[in-house]
Amino acid sequence: QVQLVESGGGLVQAGETLRLSCGASGRAFSTYASGWFRQAPGKEREFVAGISGTGDRTYYADSVKGRSTISRDKAKNTVLLQINSLKPEDTAVYYCAGRYNSRYSPAAYDYDYWGQGTQVTVSS
């Protein structure tokens, strides 16, 4: 079973850049698709960004498109998420997820394993 651990969250100012890292314990993580999701208080968990198993295809939610980058470091077995120009509405718990499929999906139910989440708070 793959275990995921997110890091990089915390309190940041609006307009700054956020860099989150997701490290995995199993090799399967670097082979299959991964995604980042977030959940704000009182809201549903929502898709943020996804990357294919090969790492050559990336996908973004409209809310972060144009100011975010998801990438995969296979040597380190990690997936990274960078969000620029942070806004207060980016405040949420951010989760990394993986699935036993090389194709990305924006649906949380398609993912097979999850990290514990990391809190990101953007102050205005």
Side-chain angles (χ1 to χ4, degrees):
Q1 181 71 18
V2 178
Q3 293 185 326
L4 304 179
V5 178
E6 303 97 335
S7 61
L11 176 64
V12 293
Q13 297 288 324
E16 292 184 341
T17 294
L18 173 73
R19 296 181 182 86
L20 300 178
S21 177
C22 176
S25 61
R27 292 185 178 180
F29 182 67
S30 65
T31 302
Y32 299 117
S34 304
W36 282 95
F37 292 76
R38 66 187 182 187
Q39 188 167 17
K43 294 188 176 181
E44 297 285 324
R45 188 170 299 191
E46 64 174 7
F47 171 76
V48 177
I51 188 167
S52 63
T54 56
D56 60 344
R57 295 188 177 187
T58 57
Y59 310 86
Y60 301 93
D62 288 343
S63 58
V64 299
K65 190 176 295 181
R67 60 187 182 98
S68 296
T69 303
I70 186 171
S71 60
R72 183 187 297 281
D73 186 334
K74 291 201 172 187
K76 295 182 179 179
N77 211 24
T78 60
V79 171
L80 308 173
L81 176 68
Q82 178 171 313
I83 304 178
N84 303 318
S85 303
L86 284 165
K87 307 173 183 179
E89 50 263 45
D90 291 320
T91 295
V93 177
Y94 283 71
Y95 297 91
C96 177
R99 62 187 307 230
Y100 295 113
N101 190 304
S102 61
R103 299 178 66 180
Y104 111 101
S105 170
Y109 57 74
D110 278 337
Y111 288 80
D112 301 297
Y113 47 91
W114 295 78
Q116 81 288 351
T118 184
Q119 176 71 47
V120 172
T121 304
V122 183
S123 63
S124 58

